[in-house]
Amino acid sequence: MTQIELPAEQPLNERDGLYLRRAIELANVAKTRGNRPFGSVIVGADGKVLAEAWNRNGESGDCTAHAETEAIRLASPKYSRDELAGATIYASGEPCVMCAGAIFWANIHRVVFGIDAVRLRGFRGERLDQRDAELSCRDVFAASPTHIECVGPALLDEATAPHEGAWKT
């Protein structure tokens, strides 16, 4: 059996820790509302929160209602591409392929995430309705013509907690 290497946890500065913890709080909101436990916050270069959202799959029936896409849908009509280029998106979990694409299209150049996709797969199990495309957001961002900084995984214990008991077995 091949051993899967888990990504190392990355340290965060105080500001990144503050907003990633807020994204994790929103993941808990999602969970209590019957959704998969993911949250996201977009913060401008000046520290202003531009948007907050949680995963709404369960309550909306929309398979694209991931936390990151929901936050981008709130922010992109209100803020210019230049403003979003200076923003950071905080995600309680590593952005999936779809969300990484949305981050690229929104022109956001910095991502900070909690639990990584490799660890998340341990919660998702082998159920087809819970599996993901096994491609790191870093791979998606590497294909971008602009640099997108990616920090994570981070605050692993905190970011893992919302997933305990949240997935079907």
Side-chain angles (χ1 to χ4, degrees):
M1 180 176 209
T2 306
Q3 182 74 359
I4 297 173
E5 187 173 329
L6 296 175
E9 185 169 6
Q10 295 184 3
L12 297 180
N13 63 35
E14 186 176 340
R15 176 178 161 154
D16 286 343
L18 173 73
Y19 292 118
L20 182 55
R21 284 186 174 94
R22 177 61 182 150
I24 294 166
E25 288 174 16
L26 293 167
N28 283 311
V29 170
K31 182 178 179 179
T32 63
R33 294 175 65 113
N35 303 293
R36 293 192 175 148
F38 296 96
S40 184
V41 180
I42 301 173
V43 178
D46 62 358
K48 176 184 173 188
V49 174
L50 306 182
E52 295 184 332
W54 58 80
N55 180 301
R56 295 185 63 246
N57 290 137
E59 61 190 296
S60 71
D62 179 356
C63 65
T64 67
H66 292 194
E68 299 91 332
T69 57
E70 291 290 290
I72 289 167
R73 286 180 185 128
L74 293 170
S76 64
K78 296 179 183 176
Y79 300 98
S80 72
R81 289 182 56 76
D82 287 341
E83 287 171 302
L84 290 174
T88 298
I89 188 165
Y90 295 89
S92 64
E94 181 175 353
C96 70
V97 172
M98 177 185 70
C99 291
I103 291 164
F104 162 76
W105 287 112
N107 204 38
I108 296 171
H109 292 180
R110 187 165 187 268
V111 178
V112 177
F113 67 86
I115 187 171
D116 56 275
V118 175
R119 286 178 177 87
L120 273 171
R121 288 185 194 108
F123 288 101
R124 292 178 187 270
E126 294 299 317
R127 289 178 55 112
L128 288 179
D129 65 333
Q130 296 181 158
R131 302 239 6 231
D132 67 327
E134 294 188 16
L135 186 65
S136 169
C137 68
R138 285 184 169 91
D139 295 328
V140 176
F141 298 148
S144 168
T146 57
H147 175 70
I148 299 173
E149 179 185 0
C150 192
V151 178
L155 302 180
L156 276 170
D157 290 342
E158 295 171 60
T160 299
H163 296 277
E164 298 290 341
W167 295 88
K168 298 173 188 171
T169 54

